[in-house]
Each structure stands twice: as C-alpha cells, then as structure tokens.
Amino acid sequence: MTSRSRIPFFFAILLLIAAGISIAVWRHVELNIPWFTGEQKPVWMVEARIDFTGTGDPVLASMNIPDQPPGFRVISEQAASPGYGFSIVEDSGERRAEWSKRDVSGPQTLYFKVQLIPDNQVRPENPKRRPKPEPVFWEEPQATAVEELLQQAAARSSTPESMTRELIKLLQPEGGAQNTTLLVSDDNYIELLNRMLNHAGIPARAADGLALEDARRRQQLRPFLQIYDGNKWLTFNPRTAEQGLPEDVLLWRQAATSLLDLEGGDDSEVSFSMLRQTVPALQLAQAQSTENGLGFLSLYQLPIEEQGMFRMLLLLPLGALIVAFMRIVVGIKTSGTFMPILIAVAFVQTTLVPGLIAFISVVAIGLLMRGYLSSLNLLLVSRISALIILVIFITAGLSIAGYQMGFNTGMTVTFFPMVIIAWTIERMSILWEEEGAREVFVQGSGSLFVAVCAFLVMSAPLARHLTFNFPELHLVVLGIILLMGQYTGYKLSELRRFTPMKVYD
C-alpha cells in the first residue's frame, strides 16, 4: 500500500523535471537564448550604396532588399539618406526600400544597411501559388537551336534539377553543342538560360547573391539561377551547374524583377560593403525578443527595476536546494531552517568577506545586548521589538564606521534582514541559556558554512544566467527538493558514529 501511494508522487516529480527541461529547451530553440554565458555569434553588417546623378527632377529610387534570405536572419534595417524621405514597402510580394526627394541635381549617394546573423533554420517560404512557366517566343534561327539543345538536355535527364544541370553544361563553350555559339553571349547568358527553362516548362527566374567577405568594399552581386521543382525553389550556379547556395553567399534578390528602379536620375550604380562582427548571443536574443511572437514569455519585457528584483528572487530556489541538501543529507545543524538563504542573499549584495565580518559583528554585539535585556525580565514581544531597534542602530553604526574608514562595502550592511537577525539573536540567546555556548557555536558556524556554500552557488555567473533566462528550470529544483524530502536514511554527519566498528573488521 505504501509503495502504491508513492507512485503518483514520483510520477508528479517526473512530470515536474520533464516539464522544466522541456520548456527550457523549447525556449532555447525558439528564442535563441544561449545555455552558457559569454557565447558569441557572428553578425554581418552589409551596406548597399546607390550612386547616381540627379537631373533636376523629383527623384524616386526603389531598391529590392532581402526578404527571408536562405541561411540568414535579418535583425535590423536602416537607411542613411539625409534630406530624403524613406520607407520600406511591399510590392507584389517583394520588399523594396524607397527614397524620394524633389529637385535633385548633381551627384547623389544613398545608403541602406542591414544586419544579419547566420541561421541554417531560416528557409524561404514555399510560394502560396504554384509558379507557372512564362511564355517565351523565339525567332529563327534561334528557335531551332533552342529546340535541339532542349531535346539533348531532356534526353540526358529525368527531373527538373537534372534537366537544369544538363542544359547549363550544354551552354558552356566546352559543352560540345554546336548551337551554343549561336545563342550564347556574355550579356544574355542568364536571361537566355532563364527563357530556355521556361520554354521547356520549368518555372525559372534569375537571382542575385552577394559573396560575404570580411571588410570588403565596392562589391557587386553575382548572378544565380533558381528553378521551381514542384515544391520549392532550388538555386544553381549558372556557370558550374552546382546545386545549392554556398554558406558565404547572401541571396539579396530572389523574386524581384529588378534590383534598382530610378526616376529622376542617370548613371546609377549599386555597390556593397560588408563587415563581420561578433556579439554576445544573449544580446541578440534580447534584441529579437520583441519581434518574436514568443517574446512575451521573456523577463526582458519587464521594466529594468523589476528585472533587477527578479534576478535576485530567482536565485533563492538555488539557496533552498543547498540548505535542503545540507540539512537532510549532510546533517549540518543551522540556526533556523532557512536563515542561511537570507544570509547568502546578503552576501551576494555585500560580497563574501565584508558580509561575514558584518554578520558576525552584528550577531556578537546583539548577543551582548540581549543578555542585558534578559536581566530586565521583559516580555518576549517587547524583547524582540527592542532587539530590532538595537540591530538597526548596530548596522547603522557599522555602516558609518566603515564609511569613515574608507570601506565602501560598509554601506551595504543594510542588506541584512533586520527582523530575521533580531529573531536569530533571540534564538541563539535562548539556546545559550538552555544548551550552552557549544551548541550556539555549532549552529552558528553551521549556518555560516551553509550560507557560504549557497553564496558560492548563487553568485556563479552560470547560475545567474540560467535562473533568469530559463526560470522554468526551477521546476527541476523543486522536483529534486521534493525527492530529498522522502530521504529517511542516515545523514553523512552521522556516519562517524560507526567509526569504532572498523576495529572489528
């Protein structure tokens, strides 16, 4: 019967631990919050520069900008164009940056900057409507040459991908096709390849990619070819027939019909500069939390003041875990059940050594004063109230003395919980009278030892990071504490009682 009654308990513990770990992993994947502090991520700053000459007329410049480029995530966009109106618009499913200004004359320069991070999980969305091949008309003798090349490519292939690869090979000078010279030139190669695939019934379009190299300036886009295989768009190198996009290439233009449209200017040119940086992964996650639909689950949405409060509060479960382990498993005696947690919190604020000195000083002086109060035969309530006032005077005096001596940490003594310290002094005084000074020393030193252990865990950078960014991990801490509550075996400190039995081994 006992074993049966424990089954729901252990099942609940398992659910708590599984839920805590699962939610933390989910938050890591969806919100990109790193597991460890100091983790860095590469960030690319890409700047597009538009140069043109104004003709004295109103100017409207429209440039295609990246929209979900494969392998990259856009985290910020901005334009630098003094005197120009700027906006980002969507036109027929493509995103374009638009500049406008009246009466523009002479050389002009416009800038558009985009910040991206590599992310292999980002893939372009499948088109809502199935793309159809564009109708193409050929004149003789190109029509005959096109038909012959397409027939040769079709005979060597069985899928749209293989058809594309074979056609690219045939259009190369070393491809051996006699009609290549008639059709191909450097100026019309991508357009010709695009039209031939559409003529063969394979939806195709041209795309432009940017090879990312650190600290490069005045770079130009490289042409790529994309075909629709019935499910998604595939990218090919139009010269080598290699399928797929290299990791260091950013597809700047995919579905757009043009890179730049300019009204009111001549001699336009678009060039690109880029810079690779590394930034903390946590900083990126914070910046993206407002844009992510799951960002409302993040504590970074709270005001700064409340964030600071929660950073401290979320450390308390770790202190509770240390105290439970030390008391239940190790068997260390402490003054009060969770007094060491409060002392550890104070140590986090004051740092360890000044905190130890302040705590020992306050308690020692308080015990002396409590001895005087006991001689007055006061009631318990009056005695505790008087102790609280005396503790406040003691901490204030220590703070002033520390400040006068040049110790800034003296001012942080006020972080100690006054009421709890007053009650601790009262308990220690009663314990002194009933059990003697030795028991006071045992419980006092035990409290300090457990508090120091809790402080070392709570002050660890990894602990601060995990408790604030993954608060659901406290469900795991709760499950472990509940499991320790079922422990009824010997405490580690009690094993010394069996030391004399070694004689009989």
Side-chain angles (χ1 to χ4, degrees):
M1 184 174 179
T2 305
S3 60
R4 288 185 179 179
S5 64
R6 289 190 176 186
I7 291 177
F9 172 78
F10 289 119
F11 182 71
I13 298 297
L14 181 62
L15 285 181
L16 280 176
I17 296 176
I21 296 176
S22 300
I23 297 174
V25 172
W26 172 68
R27 188 189 295 269
H28 169 72
V29 173
E30 294 296 331
L31 300 180
N32 297 312
I33 299 177
W35 290 117
F36 302 100
T37 59
E39 185 175 334
Q40 302 283 320
K41 278 193 174 182
V43 175
W44 285 99
M45 292 290 297
V46 180
E47 179 184 77
R49 170 173 173 167
I50 304 173
D51 294 293
F52 66 93
T53 302
T55 58
D57 300 320
V59 166
L60 177 62
S62 175
M63 183 183 69
N64 174 252
I65 57 178
D67 183 18
Q68 292 185 330
F72 292 90
R73 185 184 301 275
V74 178
I75 58 176
S76 68
E77 297 172 325
Q78 61 179 357
S81 46
Y84 280 82
F86 175 79
S87 60
I88 295 178
V89 299
E90 291 194 13
D91 183 16
S92 301
E94 62 176 288
R95 298 175 69 246
R96 302 190 72 87
E98 289 191 354
W99 293 265
S100 58
K101 187 179 181 181
R102 290 186 179 274
D103 304 327
V104 178
S105 300
Q108 303 289 316
T109 302
L110 306 175
Y111 294 95
F112 179 80
K113 299 179 182 179
V114 60
Q115 192 177 31
L116 311 102
I117 57 174
D119 190 346
N120 294 327
Q121 297 181 353
V122 178
R123 293 179 176 84
E125 296 181 356
N126 294 331
K128 298 179 180 179
R129 295 183 179 180
R130 183 185 179 92
K132 297 181 179 179
E134 297 179 0
V136 181
F137 175 75
W138 304 90
E139 295 182 353
E140 294 293 349
Q142 286 86 358
T144 302
V146 167
E147 290 293 341
E148 291 182 1
L149 286 174
L150 289 177
Q151 289 177 6
Q152 294 180 41
R156 303 176 184 177
S157 60
S158 58
T159 62
E161 303 96 294
S162 58
M163 174 79 172
T164 302
R165 288 192 293 266
E166 293 302 324
L167 183 59
I168 292 176
K169 294 176 183 178
L170 289 173
L171 291 180
Q172 302 307 311
E174 63 275 9
Q178 298 178 357
N179 296 309
T180 300
T181 306
L182 175 64
L183 296 172
V184 178
S185 67
D186 291 337
D187 296 333
N188 74 340
Y189 176 72
I190 295 296
E191 181 183 358
L192 172 66
L193 191 56
N194 190 4
R195 295 182 64 196
M196 291 180 68
L197 287 169
N198 278 280
H199 184 72
I202 301 175
R205 67 187 185 189
D208 292 324
L210 182 65
L212 298 178
E213 299 181 48
D214 189 21
R216 299 286 290 179
R217 301 174 62 250
R218 297 284 183 172
Q219 299 299 297
Q220 301 297 322
L221 296 177
R222 293 166 46 187
F224 286 86
L225 176 70
Q226 291 186 321
I227 68 165
Y228 188 73
D229 67 346
N231 296 314
K232 57 184 179 298
W233 288 98
L234 303 177
T235 304
F236 290 84
N237 187 316
R239 292 295 181 181
T240 64
E242 181 180 356
Q243 182 176 338
L245 193 67
E247 292 184 359
D248 60 345
V249 171
L250 165 67
L251 274 186
W252 187 276
R253 182 179 73 93
Q254 297 185 75
T257 55
S258 63
L259 174 63
L260 177 67
D261 296 328
L262 180 64
E263 298 178 7
D266 296 326
D267 303 325
S268 62
E269 181 184 3
V270 181
S271 60
F272 296 86
S273 302
M274 63 211 70
L275 186 66
R276 187 181 186 274
Q277 301 173 322
T278 55
V279 299
L282 183 59
Q283 179 181 336
L284 286 178
Q286 295 174 17
Q288 293 177 264
S289 63
T290 55
E291 303 174 3
N292 195 306
L294 302 173
F296 70 93
L297 297 175
S298 174
L299 292 174
Y300 290 106
Q301 302 300 315
L302 298 176
I304 299 297
E305 182 179 358
E306 294 188 17
Q307 287 187 36
M309 178 187 67
F310 273 103
R311 284 185 184 275
M312 181 58 62
L313 288 179
L314 290 173
L315 290 173
L316 294 181
L318 292 181
L321 177 64
I322 298 300
V323 171
F325 177 79
M326 289 296 183
R327 286 181 61 93
I328 297 173
V329 180
V330 180
I332 296 179
K333 294 182 179 181
T334 62
S335 178
T337 306
F338 290 106
M339 179 61 183
I341 300 179
L342 300 176
I343 300 175
V345 171
F347 287 168
V348 172
Q349 299 291 339
T350 63
T351 67
L352 183 58
V353 175
L356 280 172
I357 296 174
F359 178 79
I360 295 173
S361 301
V362 170
V363 173
I365 298 175
L367 283 174
L368 293 177
M369 292 185 174
R370 178 13 182 109
Y372 173 74
L373 292 175
S374 63
S375 64
L376 299 178
N377 296 321
L378 298 175
L379 295 176
L380 176 63
V381 175
S382 297
R383 196 164 59 236
I384 293 296
S385 301
L387 268 179
I388 292 175
I389 298 175
L390 291 175
V391 166
I392 292 175
F393 277 110
I394 294 170
T395 53
L398 289 176
S399 297
I400 294 174
Y403 178 75
Q404 295 295 333
M405 295 174 64
F407 298 109
N408 293 330
T409 53
M411 302 299 293
T412 62
V413 174
T414 54
F415 280 107
F416 282 113
M418 304 298 177
V419 177
I420 301 299
I421 285 189
W423 186 251
T424 300
I425 294 172
E426 174 68 17
R427 288 192 59 189
M428 285 188 173
S429 179
I430 295 175
L431 186 65
W432 193 313
E433 295 173 356
E434 296 179 352
E435 302 291 338
R438 181 179 181 280
E439 190 65 22
V440 172
F441 176 79
V442 169
Q443 292 191 15
S445 59
S447 297
L448 286 180
F449 175 76
V450 175
V452 170
C453 293
F455 162 78
L456 294 176
V457 174
M458 295 165 65
S459 62
L462 182 59
R464 291 171 173 267
H465 172 78
L466 292 178
T467 54
F468 187 76
N469 293 284
F470 300 96
E472 55 277 354
L473 290 178
H474 289 314
L475 295 176
V476 180
V477 175
L478 175 60
I480 296 174
I481 291 177
L482 292 177
L483 281 177
M484 284 193 296
Q486 293 288 311
Y487 180 73
T488 57
Y490 287 108
K491 296 177 175 60
L492 296 179
S493 59
E494 294 175 338
L495 296 180
R496 62 182 179 180
R497 293 186 304 168
F498 303 97
T499 303
M501 297 182 63
K502 292 182 178 180
V503 181
Y504 303 98
D505 289 347

